[in-house]
Every structure is written in C-alpha cells, then in structure tokens.
Amino acid sequence: MFKRLIATAALATLPLTGAAIPATAASTAPIAATTVAPQSRADDAIAWFAARNGSTAYQGYCEKAVENSYGRTGVYASAIANWNDAVRRGAAHRGDLNPPKGALVFWNISSYGHVGLATGDGNFWATSVSGAIGKRSLPYFSNYLGWAQPNF
C-alpha cells in the first residue's frame, strides 16, 4: 500500500505531456489511470460563448444562447421563466455576485428577463453586451437577480 501511495504521489507531480511513463520493477499493485478527463460542461459552455464573441445572431434570445451553450434548446420560454423555476425549486441565489463557473446569472431588465453564463471569476458571458455576445464583470446590467445552476 505504501509503495502505491508513493507511486501515485510521484505521478501527480509529473507534467501532463501525453508521454508514456515507464513501469518499474518495484510496482506491485496497479496504479489508477492517469488520463485527463474531458473539459467539464461549464468549460464547454464558456468556450461556446467565447467562440461567438461579438456575434449578434442571438440578440433577443439570451435564454436560447445559454441553453445552446450547454447543448440544449427549448427548455424554458424565457430567462425569467428559468429564474422563476430556480426560485420555485429553492435553487436561486438571490443577489449573490459570486456565482461559480457555469452558473446562470439573471437580471430583471424586461418582461422576459435576461440571463448569462458565469465564468467563476466575477465575469459572465451574455448576449446584449454592447449589442452582441460579450464578456463583462458582474453585475453590468441593472436589476441583477442572482444566480442558479443550470437545470438542463
């Protein structure tokens, strides 16, 4: 068991270069796989927005944009419907300006509301940022509601 812990600790300090790690004669127990997991859903959603930075294709369709960033569409009719569902489920973090990466951030700026995607560092991606998809610091828009994890 002790040899396995040392081997695991040694592997954790190696750079992830994709190069093979030679086996040693001292290894008596198999070591867990060291492959790197694919990007998280939140990272993929953020990358989706970043790839569309400056696009006006989603103007007026903020809810569709956040759903599409997570590979979904047609879950909620509007951002405010999404927020109201989060409130109803007890999942809404009202007024909290520190959403984790991948959380949806909401505003009450129209009858449909507005939603964006938190990057986890005080910023967010959304439509309607200077008339296009863009990244800004929270809260940016007026009437910030809070955040919730996506429910899709």
Side-chain angles (χ1 to χ4, degrees):
M1 178 68 171
F2 184 68
K3 288 181 184 178
R4 184 176 182 164
L5 289 174
I6 291 173
T8 302
L11 285 174
T13 63
L14 293 175
L16 297 175
T17 61
I21 299 171
T24 63
S27 294
T28 57
I31 296 174
T34 58
T35 59
V36 178
Q39 285 186 318
S40 72
R41 290 183 70 221
D43 288 336
D44 289 344
I46 290 166
W48 184 96
F49 269 97
R52 289 157 181 80
N53 188 25
S55 171
T56 59
Y58 284 83
Q59 285 305 99
Y61 298 100
C62 60
E63 178 63 29
K64 182 177 181 178
V66 296
E67 288 181 16
N68 286 182
S69 75
Y70 275 100
R72 299 294 306 272
T73 195
V75 179
Y76 293 100
S78 66
I80 205 69
N82 190 339
W83 172 253
N84 288 339
D85 183 54
V87 170
R88 192 171 28 260
R89 292 182 291 111
H93 298 263
R94 295 176 190 262
D96 185 345
L97 289 169
N98 297 302
K101 183 189 328 185
L104 304 182
V105 288
F106 297 89
W107 294 264
N108 187 12
I109 60 174
S110 74
S111 60
Y112 299 107
H114 190 61
V115 62
L117 179 70
T119 58
D121 60 1
N123 296 304
F124 70 96
W125 284 99
T127 64
S128 302
V129 174
S130 298
I133 288 178
K135 184 178 175 183
R136 292 292 189 275
S137 296
L138 284 168
Y140 187 70
F141 301 108
S142 60
N143 301 317
Y144 178 72
L145 294 170
W147 65 269
Q149 291 292 349
N151 190 34
F152 40 80

mmCIF file with all atom_site columns, all heavy atoms in Angstrom, residues 1-2 48 145:
data_model
loop_
_atom_site.group_PDB
_atom_site.id
_atom_site.type_symbol
_atom_site.label_atom_id
_atom_site.label_alt_id
_atom_site.label_comp_id
_atom_site.label_asym_id
_atom_site.label_entity_id
_atom_site.label_seq_id
_atom_site.pdbx_PDB_ins_code
_atom_site.Cartn_x
_atom_site.Cartn_y
_atom_site.Cartn_z
_atom_site.occupancy
_atom_site.B_iso_or_equiv
_atom_site.pdbx_formal_charge
_atom_site.auth_seq_id
_atom_site.auth_comp_id
_atom_site.auth_asym_id
_atom_site.auth_atom_id
_atom_site.pdbx_PDB_model_num
ATOM 1  N N   . MET A 1 1   ? 0.824   -1.191 0.000   1.00 0.00 ? 1   MET A N   1
ATOM 2  C CA  . MET A 1 1   ? 0.000   0.000  0.000   1.00 0.00 ? 1   MET A CA  1
ATOM 3  C C   . MET A 1 1   ? 0.867   1.252  0.000   1.00 0.00 ? 1   MET A C   1
ATOM 4  O O   . MET A 1 1   ? 0.597   2.202  -0.701  1.00 0.00 ? 1   MET A O   1
ATOM 5  C CB  . MET A 1 1   ? -0.935  -0.036 1.212   1.00 0.00 ? 1   MET A CB  1
ATOM 6  C CG  . MET A 1 1   ? -1.808  1.164  1.338   1.00 0.00 ? 1   MET A CG  1
ATOM 7  S SD  . MET A 1 1   ? -3.001  1.215  0.001   1.00 0.00 ? 1   MET A SD  1
ATOM 8  C CE  . MET A 1 1   ? -4.019  2.510  0.553   1.00 0.00 ? 1   MET A CE  1
ATOM 9  N N   . PHE A 1 2   ? 1.956   1.248  0.803   1.00 0.00 ? 2   PHE A N   1
ATOM 10 C CA  . PHE A 1 2   ? 2.833   2.400  0.896   1.00 0.00 ? 2   PHE A CA  1
ATOM 11 C C   . PHE A 1 2   ? 3.490   2.691  -0.446  1.00 0.00 ? 2   PHE A C   1
ATOM 12 O O   . PHE A 1 2   ? 3.591   3.842  -0.864  1.00 0.00 ? 2   PHE A O   1
ATOM 13 C CB  . PHE A 1 2   ? 3.880   2.165  1.986   1.00 0.00 ? 2   PHE A CB  1
ATOM 14 C CG  . PHE A 1 2   ? 4.779   3.361  2.209   1.00 0.00 ? 2   PHE A CG  1
ATOM 15 C CD1 . PHE A 1 2   ? 4.261   4.517  2.758   1.00 0.00 ? 2   PHE A CD1 1
ATOM 16 C CD2 . PHE A 1 2   ? 6.112   3.326  1.860   1.00 0.00 ? 2   PHE A CD2 1
ATOM 17 C CE1 . PHE A 1 2   ? 5.061   5.622  2.961   1.00 0.00 ? 2   PHE A CE1 1
ATOM 18 C CE2 . PHE A 1 2   ? 6.912   4.424  2.053   1.00 0.00 ? 2   PHE A CE2 1
ATOM 19 C CZ  . PHE A 1 2   ? 6.395   5.577  2.606   1.00 0.00 ? 2   PHE A CZ  1
ATOM 20 N N   . TRP A 1 48  ? -18.213 27.826 -25.732 1.00 0.00 ? 48  TRP A N   1
ATOM 21 C CA  . TRP A 1 48  ? -19.252 28.092 -26.738 1.00 0.00 ? 48  TRP A CA  1
ATOM 22 C C   . TRP A 1 48  ? -19.452 29.596 -26.877 1.00 0.00 ? 48  TRP A C   1
ATOM 23 O O   . TRP A 1 48  ? -19.502 30.125 -27.985 1.00 0.00 ? 48  TRP A O   1
ATOM 24 C CB  . TRP A 1 48  ? -20.546 27.396 -26.324 1.00 0.00 ? 48  TRP A CB  1
ATOM 25 C CG  . TRP A 1 48  ? -21.659 27.502 -27.300 1.00 0.00 ? 48  TRP A CG  1
ATOM 26 C CD1 . TRP A 1 48  ? -21.992 26.579 -28.262 1.00 0.00 ? 48  TRP A CD1 1
ATOM 27 C CD2 . TRP A 1 48  ? -22.616 28.567 -27.428 1.00 0.00 ? 48  TRP A CD2 1
ATOM 28 N NE1 . TRP A 1 48  ? -23.086 27.016 -28.970 1.00 0.00 ? 48  TRP A NE1 1
ATOM 29 C CE2 . TRP A 1 48  ? -23.489 28.234 -28.481 1.00 0.00 ? 48  TRP A CE2 1
ATOM 30 C CE3 . TRP A 1 48  ? -22.820 29.766 -26.755 1.00 0.00 ? 48  TRP A CE3 1
ATOM 31 C CZ2 . TRP A 1 48  ? -24.547 29.064 -28.878 1.00 0.00 ? 48  TRP A CZ2 1
ATOM 32 C CZ3 . TRP A 1 48  ? -23.866 30.587 -27.147 1.00 0.00 ? 48  TRP A CZ3 1
ATOM 33 C CH2 . TRP A 1 48  ? -24.705 30.236 -28.194 1.00 0.00 ? 48  TRP A CH2 1
ATOM 34 N N   . LEU A 1 145 ? -30.685 39.835 -10.422 1.00 0.00 ? 145 LEU A N   1
ATOM 35 C CA  . LEU A 1 145 ? -31.490 38.962 -9.570  1.00 0.00 ? 145 LEU A CA  1
ATOM 36 C C   . LEU A 1 145 ? -30.634 38.006 -8.747  1.00 0.00 ? 145 LEU A C   1
ATOM 37 O O   . LEU A 1 145 ? -30.885 37.770 -7.575  1.00 0.00 ? 145 LEU A O   1
ATOM 38 C CB  . LEU A 1 145 ? -32.473 38.159 -10.412 1.00 0.00 ? 145 LEU A CB  1
ATOM 39 C CG  . LEU A 1 145 ? -33.572 38.964 -11.109 1.00 0.00 ? 145 LEU A CG  1
ATOM 40 C CD1 . LEU A 1 145 ? -34.334 38.100 -12.096 1.00 0.00 ? 145 LEU A CD1 1
ATOM 41 C CD2 . LEU A 1 145 ? -34.509 39.560 -10.064 1.00 0.00 ? 145 LEU A CD2 1
#
